[in-house]
Amino acid sequence: MSEARAAHKRILLKLSGESLMGDDAFGINRGTIVRIVGEVAEVVNMGVEVAIVIGGGNIFRGVAGGSVGMDRATADYMGMLATVMNALALGDAMNKQGLTARVMSAIGIEQVVEPYVRPKALQYLEEGKVVIFAAGTGNPFFTTDTAAALRGAEIGAELVLKATKVDGVYTADPKLDPAATRYNKITFDDAMAQNLGIMDATAFALCRDQKLPIKVFSIFKHGALKRVVLGEDEGTLVYA
């Protein structure tokens, strides 16, 4: 284990599907996924228990044109299958880089991945395995943000990490306003009052009600995940 002492023992990392694309228009960029796995390996080797919820936007983007006018529930189920594809790719990359990953799906496709069972997920985490939750909540009309909040609460995570392209939450869009400043921390109520759009409303309300803090940070910033886990000034903390 690293000499550095982690500030958090168990975390839930929320990755968007787009974070796996790199510079590609859609799909999975192998170099990008390998780099992300390297960041996760750093914190796992510190003794941190890591669970991951991943989105499917990078895969679904490739078929989105054909989904216009489609029934919403059908489209959402397609999106769930896209998250399973991402979870399998991520798990494979982790296993090849020396980690032990287990993919668990909220929808039943047992020939491909095992079903989500909470006690089993907890057992895997306690054994030092990385657990990747696929297929969102298993229900249409709910986002993978909501799945992250739900699974985070279920496994007793100390922190939900929302990985984005931006290194935190700002007073305004930093690309449009050079004077925009990053919040070091902000309460759930203040974030809602300012309509900052950190997560969808259902996910945000669940985290607030469960007093489950959210840390927003950039997955593209080298070493940021480790700094978050160490409790350093990285990203923005949203707390009750």
Side-chain angles (χ1 to χ4, degrees), residues 144-195:
T144 49
D145 276 353
T146 299
L150 178 63
R151 297 290 183 250
E154 286 181 314
I155 66 170
E158 298 168 16
L159 185 68
V160 170
L161 278 63
K162 175 74 182 281
T164 68
K165 295 181 179 180
V166 184
D167 65 341
V169 180
Y170 281 74
T171 53
D173 187 338
K175 293 181 180 178
L176 302 177
D177 184 358
T181 57
R182 176 177 63 87
Y183 290 103
N184 175 267
K185 58 183 179 180
I186 188 170
T187 66
F188 281 103
D189 290 341
D190 286 344
M192 291 180 74
Q194 296 178 48
N195 196 28

